Amino acid sequence: MEQARFVKGMAEWQNRPLDRVCPVVFIDAINVKIRDGQGAHRPIYVALAVTAEGHRDILGLCGINGLMWPHSSGLGSRGGCNT
């Protein structure tokens, strides 16, 4: 039951509309340790925006095997973020 609620919340977050203008956008990576046969570190890319009101908003996350933002994250179809 908890997992279904979590998955529903993540789907809502991934599909929420974005601000039309973001003066600042940062692209960064977080290295996470995974088990892929042996222990390994893999990057998770993070797109973070600062809105015109000064609020920080995580626009999307992308793993190493996905295309990099904005192509695979659908940011353009959710209102984009003109910088």
Side-chain angles (χ1 to χ4, degrees), residues 18-77:
L18 301 174
D19 287 354
R20 297 295 291 162
V21 175
C22 299
V24 180
V25 176
F26 296 98
I27 306 295
D28 202 355
I30 301 168
N31 283 310
V32 294
K33 190 171 186 174
I34 64 164
R35 293 185 186 158
D36 187 14
Q38 298 177 337
H41 289 89
R42 298 283 188 260
I44 302 293
Y45 297 99
V46 180
L48 174 80
V50 179
T51 66
E53 294 82 29
H55 300 283
R56 290 176 288 189
D57 187 15
I58 296 176
L59 301 177
L61 303 168
C62 179
I64 187 95
N65 294 331
L67 296 172
M68 190 51 189
W69 171 82
H71 306 292
S72 65
S73 62
L75 295 180
S77 65

